[in-house]
């Protein structure tokens, strides 16, 4: 009898455990951007939080403080060759990207990528490579979901955009066009 009760208890627990582990949509879905600029391949891996009726710039994302450039984990940028972003020279490799937003300029902080825990970069003793925005465009409508994109593609250059709420922040990118 004890074995039967234990078996029934195990079956019920399994059913409830399986029920509790159903997949749910992520509140901030993962995104991956692949872009070739000239002879350089870029991959940006990040999560895309939504505005969801919140004040973003200066609110959820405070001015003057480092932010993970997305949600859930550190944003990861990988470049296949040396490149320059916002005046910062990056060697080929993978970098964690944090942002310090301000009303008049944004600064990107690039750290050698060591994992997805973004606070380890924010509090890191490693001096980041810093890039500065060239332009902050105020848009006439809200962008609901945070996005990172490359635009203005040329053989030796492009622009890297961080877009959310009513803000489009632009960083110039230059790459080698010949090996």
């Amino acid at each position: 009898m004890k074995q039967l009760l234990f078996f029934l208890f195990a079956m019920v627990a399994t059913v409830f455990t399986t029920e509790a582990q159903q997949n749910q949509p992520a509140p901030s879905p993962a995104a991956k951007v692949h872009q070739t600029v000239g002879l350089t391949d870029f991959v940006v891996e990040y999560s895309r939080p939504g505005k969801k009726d919140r004040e973003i710039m200066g609110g959820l994302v405070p001015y003057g403080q480092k932010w993970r450039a997305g949600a859930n984990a550190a944003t990861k940028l990988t470049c296949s060759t040396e490149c320059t972003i916002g005046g910062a020279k990056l060697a080929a490799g993978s970098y964690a990207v944090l942002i310090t937003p301000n009303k008049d300029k944004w600064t990107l902080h690039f750290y050698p990528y060591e994992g997805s825990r973004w606070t380890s970069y924010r509090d890191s003793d490693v001096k980041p490579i810093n890039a500065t925005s060239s332009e902050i465009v105020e848009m006439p409508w809200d962008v609901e979901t945070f996005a990172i994109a490359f635009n203005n593609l040329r053989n030796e250059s492009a622009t890297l955009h961080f877009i959310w709420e009513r803000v489009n922040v632009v960083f110039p990118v230059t790459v080698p066009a010949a090996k």
Side-chain angles (χ1 to χ4, degrees), residues 34-152:
H34 294 264
Q35 184 63 61
T36 300
V37 180
L39 301 174
T40 303
D41 293 321
F42 288 94
V43 177
V44 181
E45 299 171 67
Y46 68 108
S47 293
R48 299 189 63 202
K51 186 173 180 331
K52 301 176 185 169
D53 298 322
R54 302 177 288 187
E55 178 188 355
I56 302 303
M57 297 304 148
L60 181 66
V61 178
Y63 289 126
Q65 294 182 26
K66 286 183 185 174
W67 172 59
R68 64 182 157 220
N72 304 331
T75 292
K76 181 180 178 183
L77 179 136
T78 303
C79 50
S80 64
T81 68
E82 181 180 280
C83 65
T84 302
I85 299 177
K89 289 188 183 242
L90 300 176
S94 293
Y95 297 88
V97 181
L98 274 64
I99 296 174
T100 300
N102 287 293
K103 286 187 176 191
D104 58 342
K105 75 172 185 175
W106 281 25
T107 303
L108 294 182
H109 310 281
F110 296 100
Y111 297 87
Y113 189 82
E114 295 178 356
S116 62
R117 198 167 149 255
W118 80 278
T119 54
S120 64
Y121 300 107
R122 182 187 65 200
D123 302 329
S124 175
D125 291 335
V126 175
K127 186 173 191 258
I129 301 167
N130 294 321
T132 305
S133 61
S134 64
E135 185 178 9
I136 299 177
V137 178
E138 183 75 20
M139 297 185 303
W141 65 87
D142 278 349
V143 173
E144 172 63 31
T145 308
F146 176 69
I148 299 174
F150 288 89
N151 197 13
N152 303 310

Side-chain angles (χ1 to χ4, degrees), residues 16-31:
F16 284 116
T17 302
T18 304
E19 192 77 22
Q21 293 178 357
Q22 288 182 353
N23 287 338
Q24 299 292 320
S28 300

